[in-house]
Amino acid sequence: MLPGQRLDFGHSQDDALHPGSKADRMEHADYADCPKGGNRAAGGKLGAILKRRNPSRAWHGG
């Protein structure tokens, strides 16, 4: 972590999967400071996965 980098609180257990989990570490917030995209990118990726797995309505062939 360097001066000027944006930081976020991170969770060992993703809050989206384990509601109420406590933040237990500091992480880079943005892609500019972290090759993997940072904490916000990770949250966006997980949110997209969960949205694809839980469609807004049931689709039936027929």
Side-chain angles (χ1 to χ4, degrees):
M1 309 288 175
L2 300 173
Q5 292 181 337
R6 293 171 38 150
L7 304 176
D8 277 341
F9 289 109
H11 298 81
S12 293
Q13 293 184 322
D14 290 311
D15 193 41
L17 299 174
H18 304 279
S21 68
K22 303 291 182 201
D24 57 1
R25 61 184 177 189
M26 294 298 296
E27 297 180 350
H28 288 107
D30 300 316
Y31 184 79
D33 301 323
C34 178
K36 292 184 179 180
N39 192 36
R40 295 178 189 179
K45 289 175 190 174
L46 178 58
I49 290 169
L50 294 174
K51 195 172 208 176
R52 283 194 303 268
R53 290 186 179 174
N54 295 313
S56 61
R57 65 178 93 165
W59 296 92
H60 301 283

